[in-house]
Amino acid sequence: MVDFEEQVRRALDALPPELARGLENVAVVVEEENADDPSVLGLFEEAPYMPAKVTIYRRPLEADFGHDPDRLEHEIRVTVLHELAHYFGIDEARLAELGYA
């Protein structure tokens, strides 16, 4: 079985090259869960003078999809893409239209 961090790396490696080239000063990290809302799968954060940060939360993704390794891998990929889309300025409404809500 591939570990969670490796699945996140695979999702990042699968980004189209033109999209990957557009990522500057952004960190993608894995954490266990969001302390404020443990059901959150991922989070995009920006702060002045700091790198942008995408956090992927292991515990809720594994709780919801861990029973099916293929589904878990798919949902990790969707979560990574969803949060990176915020980096590029795509809002929740547009992500829902695109099937990444």
Side-chain angles (χ1 to χ4, degrees):
M1 184 172 158
V2 177
D3 74 13
F4 193 91
E5 287 85 2
E6 180 61 26
Q7 289 179 340
V8 171
R9 277 191 288 279
R10 285 182 181 184
L12 292 168
D13 289 345
L15 291 173
E18 60 276 6
L19 188 64
R21 282 192 299 271
L23 295 173
E24 293 183 16
N25 208 23
V26 59
V28 178
V29 299
V30 172
E31 293 182 6
E32 288 303 308
E33 69 184 13
N34 182 297
D36 295 328
D37 184 352
S39 67
V40 170
L41 304 180
L43 182 66
F44 171 73
E45 300 172 283
E46 277 187 306
Y49 311 109
M50 298 294 293
K53 181 180 177 186
V54 168
T55 306
I56 307 301
Y57 296 107
R58 176 194 322 268
R59 194 167 289 145
L61 280 159
E62 287 182 341
D64 289 349
F65 309 107
H67 62 282
D68 181 343
D70 291 333
R71 178 77 190 274
L72 176 60
E73 187 170 4
H74 170 78
E75 294 299 331
I76 289 170
R77 182 176 180 274
V78 167
T79 303
V80 168
L81 291 174
H82 178 110
E83 300 309 330
L84 288 175
H86 291 311
Y87 172 83
F88 289 105
I90 300 173
D91 65 17
E92 291 292 331
R94 182 66 179 135
L95 284 169
E97 290 172 14
L98 296 170
Y100 287 95

